[in-house]
Amino acid sequence: MRGLRRPLGIAVVAVFVGLVAVACASADPASTPPPTAFGAITPVPPEGEVATTGTVRDAAGDVQLCLGPVAESYPPQCAGIPLEDWTWDGVDGAESSGDVTWGAYAVRGTYDGTSFTVTQPPILLALYDPIRPEDPTGGEPGAGDEATLAAIQDELPDRLGDAYLSSYPQDGWLWIDVVWDDGSWQDAANAEYGDDTVVVRSAMTPTGG
């Protein structure tokens, strides 16, 4: 008996259909996450010294630097990052209640992505006069409407985690404060939302030292 042969035309059609199916599957947007999704990256810690301002809270030797909101309780409550090599010796402006001591200061040191190590004496925040940063918007309004900015804002705590400090909408922009950004989060935000919607501000700034 002779072997059965599939007509050439049917075979070509089958191969073509298979290629189309593979192409459609690979083009499925749900299976291909954006390569620079905002919050899906981790900024590289700064190499040199940085400066920042915040509340230093020492609870029985557990010293933290709070860069975000501070609850108006007595003593104040806040969530911060570990502060290494801190001493209250010679530091003015501190208050104490029970085993908690706190004060607001400008500090300078190094940040490894987890903790902040003090390298210079702190400055009482009331006496600190920093250089006013340049307006990244150039005074131009943003393109975000109220609903869009609110939707982005609602996602920030989950997407940025402990690095997220606060945010607020203003003039079509959503201003986002984070512990540290080397520019990676700003670039990712621009890629996802456009160049005229989000401003990411780093609480820590390089000193150039």
Side-chain angles (χ1 to χ4, degrees):
M1 296 179 62
R2 294 181 179 179
L4 297 176
R5 295 183 179 179
R6 177 181 295 178
L8 180 59
I10 295 177
V12 172
V13 171
V15 171
F16 177 76
V17 171
L19 291 175
V20 171
V22 172
C24 290
S26 62
D28 180 6
S31 64
T32 308
T36 56
F38 185 49
I41 56 178
T42 302
V44 177
E47 294 183 358
E49 287 187 337
V50 292
T52 190
T53 60
T55 297
V56 176
R57 187 179 188 275
D58 180 353
D62 179 16
V63 188
Q64 294 192 337
L65 175 61
C66 298
L67 302 177
V70 178
E72 296 181 357
S73 57
Y74 197 86
Q77 303 291 321
C78 60
I81 57 177
L83 187 60
E84 308 293 340
D85 293 347
W86 175 266
T87 177
W88 293 105
D89 294 342
V91 176
D92 297 326
E95 297 184 61
S96 296
S97 177
D99 61 357
V100 178
T101 301
W102 69 95
Y105 302 95
V107 294
R108 181 169 171 168
T110 58
Y111 178 63
D112 63 5
T114 302
S115 61
F116 190 99
T117 301
V118 177
T119 57
Q120 302 287 341
I123 301 174
L124 189 64
L125 192 57
L127 304 177
Y128 184 57
D129 185 20
I131 299 175
R132 185 179 182 86
E134 182 179 349
D135 182 1
T137 71
E140 297 294 329
D145 57 62
E146 184 176 348
T148 298
L149 299 183
I152 298 173
Q153 190 173 29
D154 288 343
E155 298 176 348
L156 293 177
D158 290 335
R159 301 188 75 174
L160 300 181
D162 292 340
Y164 172 68
L165 299 176
S166 63
S167 61
Y168 63 91
Q170 181 178 325
D171 296 332
W173 296 93
L174 182 63
W175 296 77
I176 304 173
D177 293 316
V178 297
V179 172
W180 162 254
D181 183 29
D182 63 347
S184 300
W185 273 337
Q186 183 65 70
D187 289 343
N190 290 346
E192 184 167 346
Y193 306 119
D195 295 345
D196 50 6
T197 303
V198 168
V199 175
V200 180
R201 296 187 298 192
S202 177
M204 299 181 186
T205 56
T207 64

